């Protein structure tokens, strides 16, 4: 399973125990959380969650920083000079547009991540069985 993700994403991630692994996809802003459990017949039931929490957290942090900074410059400019106030307003508008574009990119990354999950599951299902001990996620 991890090989199929490595082929799609470009790296294999890291284990989180005997039957779990996390693969971070920075370009899409998501983390693939893979879990494998035995099915009782020598196979594995695999569950893959796509977590975009880190990307959403970065957007929230950027929004708070941008809002506070542009509000501070606008307030400072209102006290001293209109030019500084308009610079603060412009910074807020340009920053809000940048945050909107980043949110759209995160949404597209999540959709792309779900397509990668589907493709990796199909590839793992169609792949020949490994000979010898399993090197990816063992059913646990």
């Amino acid at each position: 399973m991890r090989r199929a993700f490595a082929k799609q994403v470009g790296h294999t991630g890291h284990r989180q125990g005997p039957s779990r692994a996390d693969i971070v996809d920075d370009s899409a802003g998501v983390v693939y959380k893979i879990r494998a459990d035995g099915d009782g017949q020598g196979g594995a039931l695999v569950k893959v969650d796509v977590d975009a929490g880190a990307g959403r957290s970065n957007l929230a942090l950027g929004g708070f920083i941008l809002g506070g900074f542009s509000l501070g410059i606008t307030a400072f400019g209102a006290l001293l000079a209109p030019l500084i106030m308009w610079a603060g307003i412009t910074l807020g508008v340009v920053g809000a547009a940048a945050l909107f574009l980043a949110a759209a990119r995160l949404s597209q990354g999540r959709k792309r991540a779900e397509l990668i999950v589907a493709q990796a599951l199909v590839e793992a299902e169609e792949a020949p069985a490994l000979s010898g001990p399993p090197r990816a996620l063992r059913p646990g």
Side-chain angles (χ1 to χ4, degrees), residues 1-2 4-5 9 19 21-23 30-37 45-51 110 113-122 124 137:
M1 184 70 203
R2 284 176 62 192
F5 270 102
V9 178
S19 63
D22 288 352
I23 299 174
V30 297
V31 177
Y32 303 98
K33 296 181 179 270
I34 306 169
R35 182 184 171 132
D37 292 318
L45 300 172
V46 178
K47 180 180 180 186
V48 180
D49 292 320
V50 178
D51 181 18
R110 172 138 176 122
E114 290 171 358
L115 291 174
I116 287 173
V117 167
Q119 182 66 30
L121 288 171
V122 168
L137 295 176

Side-chain angles (χ1 to χ4, degrees), residues 60-82:
L61 179 63
F64 283 120
I65 291 172
L66 173 72
F69 190 68
S70 62
L71 184 64
I73 289 177
T74 304
F76 184 69
L79 295 174
L80 295 181

Side-chain angles (χ1 to χ4, degrees), residues 84-96:
I84 296 173
M85 181 182 73
W86 285 108
I89 292 171
T90 303
L91 176 67
V93 169
V94 170

